[in-house]
């Protein structure tokens, strides 16, 4: 009986959106969401897919109470069944009341965002504070969480791991935690910043996690581990997740249900296995047809036109038939870049190597793919080539001209 009740509560509905319509503009506004309907259960993952501007991120902002001032909700409800800090006996209680998120006052929304809703934004640099160290930003969220729980007389301190900064960083596979805690966002790679945002979102174990392109800046190895972590959190803790992504392979792998949006309207909604394997909507079929196909290298990518059809794939014009016979555009030999490490006054200065003895050559008509995990030096190499980061040693030739790297 206990097992049955546990499964029943685990898969109860956590969120329900009905007939949600949002417009921009005062009179004759532009409708950017049109009659949206969806439901999310505890322990389930719902994915939203669609082209840019289809309304995916706007839906997440409506859930968080973060719609811009110019946006007006014309109709609909966003029913939340997870409770708010001030009306729940404990954060793990299944005895919840329901609320229409569109009717909550700012203070109630603040408590809800602090204790129950978390969001990982697509571009972490727009969400992180550039004037605060990473450790301070996680600590700030922890203090807000504790203050709200204290005000609501919620005893949540029996699980200190929820508020252990190092444990949170390690959970999202951020190594060298001491350096991460004392670093500023601009001192981290894109993938490291995204993992930092994910660590912040997991403070206090939220009930709903909105992930807006959470793996965009992650390398394949870390992406797999982050997806495994998210999947485990959802399944083991009854966490509900709304996943926004353009990666249909990721959606197929992760989600239980998928909702396809186009220009604010629902094109298709149902079980992932059904929608992606047997799509009924021509738009869904077109999205699946736009995926990269390695067997069609040298062909123009198929794109979805305004007429609702896929463009034809034709050979790309102007490609060099034999790039090896073309002139050398870029030639790099022995390039090394190092960064000074923090040190005490009068102590020996130490460095961390970001690039070491890099050799590469690119000729006319050739495309070189630069791959590697987060922090491997890809962006550093790019910054050296445009003169934003000085090199320690090495030679760079652009169209035969020598560019002398500066020394540090």
């Amino acid at each position: 009986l206990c097992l049955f009740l546990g499964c029943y509560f685990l898969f109860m509905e956590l969120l329900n959106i009905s007939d949600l319509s949002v417009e921009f503009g005062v009179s004759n506004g532009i409708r950017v969401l049109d009659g949206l309907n969806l439901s999310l259960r505890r322990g389930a993952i719902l994915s939203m897919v669609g082209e840019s501007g289809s309304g995916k991120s706007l839906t997440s902002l409506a859930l968080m109470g973060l719609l811009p001032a110019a946006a007006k909700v014309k109709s609909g409800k966003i029913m939340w069944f997870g409770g708010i800090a001030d009306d729940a006996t404990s954060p793990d209680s299944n005895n919840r009341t329901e609320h229409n998120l569109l009717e909550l006052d700012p203070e109630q929304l603040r408590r809800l965002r602090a204790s129950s809703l978390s969001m990982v934004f697509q571009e972490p640099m727009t969400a992180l504070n550039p004037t605060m160290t990473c450790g301070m930003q996680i600590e700030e969220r922890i203090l807000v969480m504790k203050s709200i729980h204290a005000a609501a007389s919620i005893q949540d301190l029996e699980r200190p791991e929820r508020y252990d900064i190092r444990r949170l960083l390690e959970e999202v596979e951020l190594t060298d935690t001491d350096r991460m805690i004392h670093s500023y966002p601009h001192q981290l790679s894109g993938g490291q910043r995204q993992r930092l945002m994910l660590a912040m979102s997991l403070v206090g174990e939220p009930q709903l996690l909105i992930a807006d392109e959470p793996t965009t800046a992650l390398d394949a190895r870390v992406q797999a581990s982050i997806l495994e972590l998210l999947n485990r959190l959802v399944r083991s803790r009854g966490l509900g997740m709304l996943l926004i992504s353009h990666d249909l392979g990721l959606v197929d792998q992760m989600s239980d249900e998928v909702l396809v949006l186009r220009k604010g309207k629902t094109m298709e909604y149902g079980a992932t296995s059904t929608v992606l394997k047997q799509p009924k909507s021509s738009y869904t079929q077109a999205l699946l047809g736009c995926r990269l196909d390695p067997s069609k290298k040298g062909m123009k990518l198929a794109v979805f036109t305004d007429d609702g059809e896929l463009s034809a794939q034709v050979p790309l014009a102007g490609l060099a038939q034999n790039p090896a016979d073309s002139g050398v555009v870029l030639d790099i030999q022995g390039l090394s870049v190092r960064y000074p490490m923090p040190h005490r006054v009068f102590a020996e200065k130490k460095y961390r190597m970001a690039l070491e003895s890099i050799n590469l050559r690119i000729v006319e008509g050739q495309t070189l793919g630069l791959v590697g995990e987060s922090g491997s030096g890809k962006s550093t190499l790019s910054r050296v080539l445009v003169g934003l980061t000085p090199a320690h040693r090495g030679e760079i030739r652009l169209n035969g001209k020598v560019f002398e790297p500066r020394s540090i």
Side-chain angles (χ1 to χ4, degrees):
L1 179 61
C2 292
L3 179 61
F4 171 78
L5 290 175
C7 293
Y8 171 75
F9 285 125
L10 180 63
F11 294 102
M12 286 177 59
E13 190 175 34
L14 180 65
L15 176 75
N16 184 285
I17 298 179
S18 58
D19 194 32
L20 180 63
S21 296
V22 177
E23 292 184 355
F24 279 88
V26 178
S27 59
N28 298 322
I30 300 174
R31 183 153 293 194
V32 289
L33 278 179
D34 193 357
L36 180 66
N37 295 282
L38 64 84
S39 176
L40 178 61
R41 298 172 287 108
R42 301 177 190 273
I45 300 175
L46 169 64
S47 292
M48 297 183 69
V49 300
E51 61 193 279
S52 298
S54 60
K56 305 184 302 296
S57 295
L58 197 70
T59 301
S60 66
L61 293 178
L63 283 174
M64 297 290 288
L66 298 175
L67 283 173
K72 304 298 180 183
V73 177
K74 304 302 291 186
S75 66
K77 294 180 180 180
I78 303 178
M79 300 307 299
W80 170 253
F81 304 103
I84 305 178
D86 58 359
D87 62 21
T89 56
S90 76
D92 296 319
S93 171
N94 289 307
N95 182 24
R96 305 295 197 186
T97 56
E98 62 182 59
H99 299 273
N100 183 356
L101 300 187
L102 299 176
E103 296 177 351
L104 297 183
D105 60 48
E107 180 58 27
Q108 287 177 310
L109 279 172
R110 190 181 76 88
R111 290 197 297 270
L112 185 65
R113 287 193 293 261
S115 60
S116 300
L117 302 182
S118 282
M119 184 171 180
V120 178
F121 294 90
Q122 182 174 359
E123 177 44 62
M125 276 302 282
T126 63
L128 295 171
N129 189 330
T131 66
M132 296 173 62
T133 63
C134 299
M136 290 173 62
Q137 298 192 53
I138 300 179
E139 181 66 22
E140 181 182 52
R141 175 159 172 76
I142 290 173
L143 292 175
V144 170
M145 173 78 73
K146 288 183 175 181
S147 67
I148 287 178
H149 283 171
S153 300
I154 294 177
Q155 299 300 318
D156 189 34
L157 304 182
E158 70 277 6
R159 296 179 63 177
E161 67 272 13
R162 295 185 179 194
Y163 308 108
D164 188 328
I165 295 179
R166 283 179 170 80
R167 184 186 179 98
L168 287 167
L169 294 177
E170 291 169 356
E171 194 172 19
V172 296
E173 293 204 356
L174 278 173
T175 57
D176 195 3
T177 54
D178 286 335
R179 184 174 72 86
M180 294 294 166
I181 289 172
H182 296 96
S183 295
Y184 289 89
H186 72 273
Q187 295 175 312
L188 306 182
S189 69
Q192 289 170 333
R193 288 193 291 264
Q194 191 70 292
R195 280 177 279 168
L196 173 66
M197 283 294 299
L198 182 57
M200 293 175 63
S201 73
L202 297 178
V203 172
E205 299 179 356
Q207 298 176 64
L208 173 64
L209 176 64
I210 302 171
D212 190 351
E213 298 282 357
T215 59
T216 299
L218 302 182
D219 61 81
R221 181 185 67 84
V222 177
Q223 174 177 303
S225 64
I226 292 298
L227 293 177
E228 181 182 354
L229 167 64
L230 289 173
N231 193 57
R232 176 167 54 81
L233 288 170
V234 170
R235 309 307 179 190
S236 64
R237 303 179 187 179
L239 172 72
M241 185 165 79
L242 181 63
L243 176 65
I244 299 172
S245 179
H246 291 95
D247 188 338
L248 293 178
L250 183 153
V251 169
D252 191 15
Q253 175 188 348
M254 288 284 293
S255 59
D256 301 291
E257 294 183 307
V258 60
L259 186 147
V260 183
L261 277 177
R262 187 188 183 215
K263 297 182 179 179
K265 295 183 178 181
T266 301
M267 297 289 102
E268 202 155 354
Y269 178 34
T272 302
S273 57
T274 301
V275 172
L276 296 186
K277 299 297 189 300
Q278 300 173 333
K280 296 179 180 179
S281 165
S282 60
Y283 179 70
T284 307
Q285 295 169 8
L287 282 180
L288 293 170
C290 288
R291 289 184 293 184
L292 293 174
D293 186 348
S295 67
K296 297 180 180 179
K297 186 176 180 179
M299 304 286 287
K300 282 187 176 181
L301 296 177
V303 295
F304 191 71
T305 67
D306 290 336
D307 297 329
E309 298 180 357
L310 277 179
S311 63
Q313 287 191 297
V314 295
L316 288 168
L319 290 179
Q321 297 300 316
N322 189 3
D325 297 333
S326 304
V328 177
V329 176
L330 175 67
D331 188 14
I332 298 177
Q333 297 295 324
L335 181 66
S336 296
V337 176
R338 64 182 186 178
Y339 294 122
M341 300 290 288
H343 65 285
R344 296 179 180 178
V345 180
F346 304 120
E348 181 183 358
K349 201 171 186 179
K350 296 182 179 181
Y351 298 90
R352 178 176 65 86
M353 297 301 295
L355 293 173
E356 189 167 5
S357 302
I358 301 298
N359 301 297
L360 64 85
R361 175 179 291 185
I362 303 177
V363 299
E364 293 179 3
Q366 182 186 53
T367 300
L368 173 69
L370 190 62
V371 298
E373 59 186 85
S374 299
S376 60
K378 305 183 297 297
S379 297
T380 298
L381 177 58
S382 303
R383 291 175 63 85
V384 170
L385 293 179
V386 295
L388 295 177
T389 295
H392 172 55
R393 66 170 65 92
E395 182 180 81
I396 302 174
R397 288 181 176 268
L398 294 172
N399 293 318
K401 284 188 174 184
V402 176
F403 168 70
E404 292 289 346
R406 292 174 292 166
S407 297
I408 58 172

